[in-house]
Amino acid sequence: MASVLSPTRWLHLATTALLLTTNPAASFSSTPQNNNNRCSSTSLSVASTPPQQTSTPYDTVKVDLSSGRDYPIYIGSDFTDTEAATLIRKHIHGKRVLLITNDRIAPLYLERYQQLLSDNSVDDKELVVDTVVLPDGEENKTYDVMAMVLDKALGLGLDRKSTFVALGGGVIGDMVGFASAVYQRGVNFVQIPTTVMAMVDSSVGGKTGVNHPLGKNMIGAFHQPQCVFIDTSTLNTLPDRELKSGISEVVKYGLIRDAPFFEWQEENMTKVLERDPEATRYAIRRSCENKADVVQADELEAGVRATLNLGHTFGHAIENGSGYGTWLHGEGVSIGTAMAATMSEKMGWIDEGLKQRIYDILESADLPVKLPRDSPMKVETFNKLMSLDKKVADGQLRLILLQGELGNCKFTGEFDTGALQETIEEFVKEIEA
């Protein structure tokens, strides 16, 4: 039976988690070799293998890391229980599994995954699978809700060989990953994402954490999964609004480093919105290849990985300032991307034509590109919340901006502050108008 526990305060482990996130190499002066904090349209070097010879074809994208920590991303659709169990269970090394999901996903998929993970006939390995169900929603991405996972693990007496499994979207993946990073100073975990947002972005790369009233994802740790298992058939139950929200992260890859992928999206956005299986699988695979390539180059976000946050500094301020849960993450990022494009154009870093293409593709995905009339966002709100962004270094705000041709960007603290304020004022003025 799934367990729903009462939230408990967990400050001492939060302090430990803060220590885990400390990365001396992540200062602005530290840059990857030969990229000068810039990204550009490039061919992908990440290892990606063709579909395997099974009854259900699937792709495998490999995330190459140091010290034998490489892991695969499996991408397919309509896996049988045996196929799913075979792929996932080989990445579980102990005898105990804690499967965590939320109260929206649980009625749809919890029983299935608990049973297939418990299927000892697949490999003759005896696994015991317990479950925890958390409340759904960005507003529940907190210390206290995450502590429910730790309470359950401690109550069951799980040891360091246990594996946590995250079944759900980005909120579940981030919280379960963080819980696994700090439980007994680190246990293995597996990602089973069920949303576009989680499949193309948050499940890959090991960034985990929870929100704080003063900032989004401000408490967290880098902790890589053992594998990511993507069955795109779970998107059949994903609401349209959440599908569109995830597309904002897909658009991002084309803008910052993969111009041909952006052009493909311009031609195929309707198919993606219609959940065409072939187009969906390609968009997810290509996104994962891009994400894996960047993570391989800069696992701890010392430079080029920060470019994956295009639009996020503006977007996180919108999410926080509007109240967590008002906007989906991808909706905030979409407006933030429009703001970054507007600012880049004001500075002369991109031309008007590229800015318009960015607005056009976001609007073609039915994503917002401006704040609504009832938004509480003010110029002061933006400035205050953006000053608390994780990319601030030595008191200096750093942004990801677009520069040059499509597929090029720059992570920098050297920008025209006048253009920044002018952009914020322009978007806020639309509310007042």
Side-chain angles (χ1 to χ4, degrees), residues 142-158:
T142 64
Y143 300 130
D144 291 344
V145 172
M146 187 191 62
M148 296 165 66
V149 178
L150 302 168
D151 290 345
K152 181 69 172 184
L154 288 166
L156 292 169
L158 299 186

Side-chain angles (χ1 to χ4, degrees), residues 37-92:
N37 280 331
R38 295 191 61 176
C39 53
S40 59
S41 189
T42 181
S43 59
L44 298 174
S45 62
V46 68
S48 183
T49 61
Q52 310 300 304
Q53 299 302 313
T54 65
S55 58
T56 300
Y58 64 91
D59 301 308
T60 303
V61 176
K62 183 180 178 182
V63 182
D64 282 313
L65 298 172
S66 61
S67 305
R69 295 175 301 117
D70 301 351
Y71 60 90
I73 308 167
Y74 303 115
I75 307 167
S77 184
D78 294 310
F79 288 98
T80 67
D81 288 357
T82 299
E83 289 169 337
T86 300
L87 289 173
I88 299 170
R89 281 172 59 98
K90 66 184 178 181
H91 299 284
I92 297 174

Side-chain angles (χ1 to χ4, degrees), residues 24 54 99 107 148 153 158 168 191 196 214-215 224 234-235 249 262 289 302 307 312 319 351 356 379 409 425 430 433:
T54 65
L99 174 62
M148 296 165 66
L158 299 186
Q191 290 269 21
V196 174
L214 294 179
Q224 299 290 347
T234 60
L235 299 180
E249 298 284 6
F262 184 89
E289 288 170 343
T307 61
H312 285 57
E319 287 184 79
D351 60 33
Q356 189 57 53
V379 172
C409 69
E425 290 169 4
E430 292 179 351

Side-chain angles (χ1 to χ4, degrees), residues 85-377:
T86 300
L87 289 173
I88 299 170
R89 281 172 59 98
K90 66 184 178 181
H91 299 284
I92 297 174
H93 306 298
K95 297 180 179 180
R96 300 293 297 274
V97 174
L98 188 59
L99 174 62
I100 305 103
T101 190
N102 63 41
D103 53 17
R104 222 173 88 187
I105 295 297
L108 300 171
Y109 303 114
L110 180 59
E111 182 178 0
R112 182 200 178 201
Y113 277 94
Q114 185 177 17
Q115 289 181 352
L116 68 85
L117 288 172
S118 303
D119 185 3
N120 300 328
S121 67
V122 171
D123 51 20
D124 294 324
K125 182 164 56 179
E126 297 291 332
L127 294 182
V128 176
V129 182
D130 292 285
T131 65
V132 179
V133 178
L134 306 180
D136 180 41
E138 187 75 31
E139 64 275 18
N140 290 308
K141 191 178 178 183
T142 64
Y143 300 130
D144 291 344
V145 172
M146 187 191 62
M148 296 165 66
V149 178
L150 302 168
D151 290 345
K152 181 69 172 184
L154 288 166
L156 292 169
L158 299 186
D159 60 28
R160 284 186 174 179
K161 287 192 174 182
S162 302
T163 297
F164 290 2
V165 177
L167 174 64
V171 171
I172 284 292
D174 282 6
M175 288 200 292
V176 173
F178 189 24
S180 69
V182 297
Y183 184 70
Q184 298 197 12
R185 296 186 175 89
V187 296
N188 289 339
F189 86 110
V190 169
Q191 290 269 21
I192 306 178
T194 61
T195 66
V196 174
M197 177 67 67
M199 291 176 183
V200 303
D201 186 63
S202 62
S203 69
V204 179
K207 287 173 69 172
T208 72
V210 296
N211 297 333
H212 187 278
L214 294 179
K216 183 177 170 68
N217 294 332
M218 294 301 286
I219 313 298
F222 287 98
H223 188 55
Q224 299 290 347
Q226 296 298 298
C227 77
V228 179
F229 177 80
I230 297 174
D231 187 337
T232 61
S233 64
T234 60
L235 299 180
N236 295 335
T237 56
L238 187 69
D240 287 343
R241 183 185 175 193
E242 292 195 29
L243 177 78
K244 296 167 186 174
S245 173
I247 290 173
S248 66
E249 298 284 6
V250 177
V251 170
K252 166 190 72 181
Y253 293 115
L255 288 174
I256 65 171
R257 67 189 315 271
D258 192 350
F261 187 30
F262 184 89
E263 292 163 351
W264 178 89
Q265 292 170 48
E266 289 180 310
E267 296 294 325
N268 292 277
M269 187 59 72
T270 299
K271 291 182 180 180
V272 175
L273 291 173
E274 292 174 348
R275 305 172 194 243
D276 175 82
E278 185 176 337
T280 299
R281 182 169 156 186
Y282 176 78
I284 293 170
R285 190 191 78 224
R286 186 78 174 189
S287 297
C288 286
E289 288 170 343
N290 274 288
K291 181 70 177 281
D293 209 26
V294 173
V295 170
Q296 177 183 342
D298 178 25
E299 181 183 357
L300 299 182
E301 201 170 84
V304 69
R305 183 170 178 176
T307 61
L308 295 173
N309 290 300
L310 174 70
H312 285 57
T313 303
F314 295 108
H316 286 173
I318 293 168
E319 287 184 79
N320 191 354
S322 303
Y324 290 126
T326 302
W327 291 99
L328 296 178
H329 174 61
E331 294 169 337
V333 168
S334 178
I335 300 172
T337 299
M339 294 181 75
T342 298
M343 180 177 168
S344 299
E345 191 269 335
K346 287 181 182 297
M347 293 171 59
W349 285 14
I350 63 171
D351 60 33
E352 170 65 28
L354 178 53
K355 186 189 87 167
Q356 189 57 53
R357 288 176 72 184
I358 295 167
Y359 273 72
D360 287 347
I361 199 167
L362 293 171
E363 290 181 316
S364 74
D366 198 22
L367 285 164
V369 292
K370 61 183 180 179
L371 295 164
R373 293 288 178 85
D374 60 351
S375 173
M377 297 300 294

